[in-house]
Amino acid sequence: MFRTPLSLFRTLAILEATSWTLLIAALITRAVNPELALAVTIGGGIHGFIFLSYGATVILVALNNRWRVWPTVVGLVSAVVPYATIPTEIWLHRRGSLAGTWRLEQTDDPRDDAWYDRALRWFFRRPWMLGILIAAAVVVLYVSLLIIGPPGGKG
């Protein structure tokens, strides 16, 4: 399904932007009818999970495509601004940052000797295991954040 970094990144960028719509609609619903506050709990929960999944995707693609700090920071910060993941994906695509395939094999490139490259290649050859690991990490982080509580407190 996600045979290239571009396809994975684009899918999560669109999902993240879509989840903003869900959250904003839930906030409007609650403002119009306070008895429907559950809408924010549901919309916020979905948005939060997709937000974290998008962040994990940015990091994964950044490592695979050897991004420098600036595109990685822009990719991560774009999730905080509603709908900014879409223009960010377009920008990264146009500059070639999403080009290429998953790095499954070591090359002669000296950058393939980074401490994490061997593990990445191993996981890229086992995408189902990588997916389970990332999903588990996102779930653990998500549950931890739910236990800590919402941004700004219970208000």
Side-chain angles (χ1 to χ4, degrees):
M1 180 175 190
F2 300 119
R3 297 197 181 272
T4 64
L6 171 62
S7 64
L8 177 64
F9 193 93
R10 179 171 286 161
T11 300
L12 266 294
I14 292 168
L15 283 173
E16 210 283 331
T18 304
S19 75
W20 269 111
T21 302
L22 183 62
L23 178 60
I24 291 167
L27 290 167
I28 292 169
T29 300
R30 182 183 67 185
V32 171
N33 186 352
E35 292 177 9
L36 295 175
L38 181 62
V40 175
T41 301
I42 294 169
I46 293 169
H47 171 69
F49 189 82
I50 294 173
F51 175 88
L52 294 175
S53 298
Y54 173 79
T57 299
V58 169
I59 292 167
L60 183 66
V61 173
L63 290 172
N64 182 75
N65 289 15
R66 298 183 180 113
W67 292 357
R68 295 190 181 270
V69 172
W70 178 245
T72 306
V73 169
V74 170
L76 290 170
V77 170
S78 71
V80 178
V81 179
Y83 306 108
T85 56
I86 301 295
T88 299
E89 184 274 331
I90 292 168
W91 173 70
L92 289 168
H93 182 61
R94 285 184 181 164
R95 73 188 302 263
S97 297
L98 297 172
T101 60
W102 299 110
R103 292 188 293 123
L104 302 175
E105 303 297 329
Q106 185 167 2
T107 66
D108 292 334
D109 190 321
R111 296 175 299 174
D112 267 353
D113 290 330
W115 63 269
Y116 56 82
D117 277 317
R118 182 179 295 198
L120 274 178
R121 287 190 297 271
W122 189 87
F123 277 114
F124 287 151
R125 288 190 297 269
R126 295 158 185 85
W128 57 272
M129 191 176 286
L130 178 61
I132 290 170
L133 178 69
I134 291 172
V138 168
V139 167
V140 167
L141 182 56
Y142 181 77
V143 170
S144 300
L145 291 171
L146 283 177
I147 292 169
I148 293 169
K154 297 271 183 197

